[in-house]
Amino acid sequence: LHPKSSDAWVLYTLEFYQTVRDALSRDGIFIQWVPFQRLSVAEFKSIVRTFQAVFPHASLWFCHGISKTGLYGSHTLLVGTPERLRIDLGRLSRRLAEPRVAADMRPWALATPVDLLETFVCGEDRLREWAGDGPLNTDDLPYVQYETKYSLGPECTAAVFAPLLESVWPYLYNTGSAGQARSLQAELQEHVRANALMLTGRFKEAIALLPRDPKFRKYAANLSFGRRWVREVAAYYADNARALIWLAGRAMALPDNWEDAVALYRRAVALEPNNAVAHSNLGFALASAGRLDAAIAEYLSALRIDPRLAAAHNNLAVALEAQGR
């Protein structure tokens, strides 16, 4: 339920959070899924400020992964606890070891304490400092639902959260022997580094940092399958320009997969030489692969076919600017 949707914006206001707080027991915890796509950074910060106005001991968590067809997906969670966050590692380990819990969590690579704890982004102090000052989201002034001056500025993407990352280690207690504690602390810090790479789209580097981790092994397998899936479906639709254009877009959504996209767009252009969109998209794939001269030639081809194609004008300007022209 997105904060801008007509039926869900009320779930992100001060009054809603107060209603939740009043319904909780003294030791109750409130966890809210917060999708950040289609929000500006300022709008997301408004939600955080509103949440912390009612749940001052809020921490931010981040779930992300790579689907079986190689696409990256992500969302955030705000967690409000009655006191400053403290996690009993021994108790958490025992709960995760319960057979029914483990069976539910294992398919998502969330079955061990590290698997779960590595989704931590930051605690209340860093979160409050990042959110800063500004308006709260209320029932009578729901800034986030509407397009306002706060909708301007940078878009909220996964990369926005990378500078916020900190280890969950200082929030843990009952961490075992000194040797176990040192090992766990080092492992959690490695995950912070890997997640910073993931959030900024550097998936191959992240996987290389933790090649034996079950979650990151799953990412690697899904990336590989995703590339193979695009190629095999493209072979089936080898004479269908429309399908090839769509598949090239999917190829571009996979990390470091520009050349596959270029090959598919070239095949589409060969099938439909007067398809301006295919030429323009081919130009974008070439530019993304760093081949600006070839990209400019494709943008110009697109504009000869359709002088009103806005995307080709825009991307041609970007490519020329990159060349200092």
Side-chain angles (χ1 to χ4, degrees):
L1 299 175
H2 197 276
K4 282 195 179 295
S5 66
S6 61
D7 61 346
W9 64 269
V10 291
L11 303 181
Y12 299 91
T13 67
L14 183 73
E15 291 81 359
F16 175 73
Y17 293 145
Q18 290 168 339
T19 301
V20 171
R21 179 197 59 197
D22 294 344
L24 286 174
S25 60
R26 290 184 61 185
D27 60 350
I29 293 172
F30 175 46
I31 302 176
Q32 184 175 45
W33 171 62
V34 187
F36 57 85
Q37 295 82 0
R38 292 172 40 222
L39 295 178
S40 70
V41 173
E43 288 171 331
F44 188 89
K45 286 182 176 182
S46 176
I47 292 173
V48 171
R49 282 193 301 271
T50 306
F51 192 95
Q52 283 198 299
V54 179
F55 298 98
H57 305 299
S59 53
L60 182 66
W61 301 68
F62 196 100
C63 291
H64 59 170
I66 296 170
S67 74
K68 191 173 182 181
T69 54
L71 297 182
Y72 178 70
S74 55
H75 63 83
T76 58
L77 296 164
L78 282 169
V79 178
T81 49
E83 305 293 340
R84 292 183 71 88
L85 183 66
R86 292 191 74 225
I87 300 171
D88 183 334
L89 184 67
R91 191 179 186 191
L92 175 64
S93 300
R94 289 192 297 275
R95 287 184 166 184
L96 284 172
E98 291 179 11
R100 286 192 301 172
V101 175
D104 279 347
M105 302 292 265
R106 196 174 296 112
W108 309 103
L110 290 169
T112 72
V114 169
D115 288 339
L116 196 64
L117 294 171
E118 66 103 26
T119 65
F120 179 77
V121 176
C122 66
E124 64 183 85
D125 296 331
R126 182 171 288 192
L127 187 61
R128 184 174 294 107
E129 180 183 3
W130 177 74
D133 297 324
L136 302 184
N137 202 41
T138 62
D139 281 355
D140 60 340
L141 289 173
Y143 292 101
V144 173
Q145 186 199 1
Y146 295 101
E147 296 298 315
T148 72
K149 67 180 182 180
Y150 302 105
S151 307
L152 305 175
E155 181 185 356
C156 199
T157 65
V160 166
F161 303 106
L164 288 176
L165 283 169
E166 62 178 347
S167 175
V168 73
W169 172 255
Y171 303 91
L172 304 181
Y173 68 99
N174 189 16
T175 55
S177 68
Q180 289 171 324
R182 282 194 301 271
S183 176
L184 176 64
Q185 185 178 13
E187 189 174 1
L188 288 170
Q189 193 57 48
E190 280 289 276
H191 276 273
V192 171
R193 286 193 282 270
N195 278 326
L197 293 169
M198 286 283 291
L199 292 176
T200 52
R202 297 159 65 184
F203 303 126
K204 285 184 176 180
E205 293 174 65
I207 291 166
L209 196 60
L210 293 169
R212 291 184 296 277
D213 182 89
K215 192 179 293 185
F216 284 78
R217 282 207 311 269
K218 193 177 186 73
Y219 295 161
N222 287 353
L223 281 174
S224 177
F225 181 87
R227 292 192 184 96
R228 191 166 71 251
W229 180 85
V230 168
R231 289 170 184 168
E232 290 181 5
V233 176
Y236 184 81
Y237 287 103
D239 297 322
N240 186 326
R242 182 178 177 184
L244 292 173
I245 290 169
W246 185 87
L247 286 163
R250 283 295 299 266
M252 289 179 67
L254 302 176
D256 304 318
N257 206 39
W258 303 115
E259 292 303 333
D260 276 4
V262 167
L264 292 172
Y265 280 130
R266 284 202 186 283
R267 196 183 308 170
V269 165
L271 291 168
E272 294 186 1
N274 291 321
N275 188 322
V277 171
H279 282 282
S280 181
N281 289 1
L282 172 56
F284 185 77
L286 288 163
S288 301
R291 296 157 64 183
L292 288 180
D293 287 332
I296 288 169
E298 292 300 329
Y299 294 142
L300 292 172
S301 294
L303 291 171
R304 281 193 292 271
I305 298 164
D306 183 0
R308 295 173 58 84
L309 187 59
H313 281 288
N314 180 79
N315 293 335
L316 173 59
V318 171
L320 291 170
E321 184 184 35
Q323 290 190 333
R325 298 162 65 187

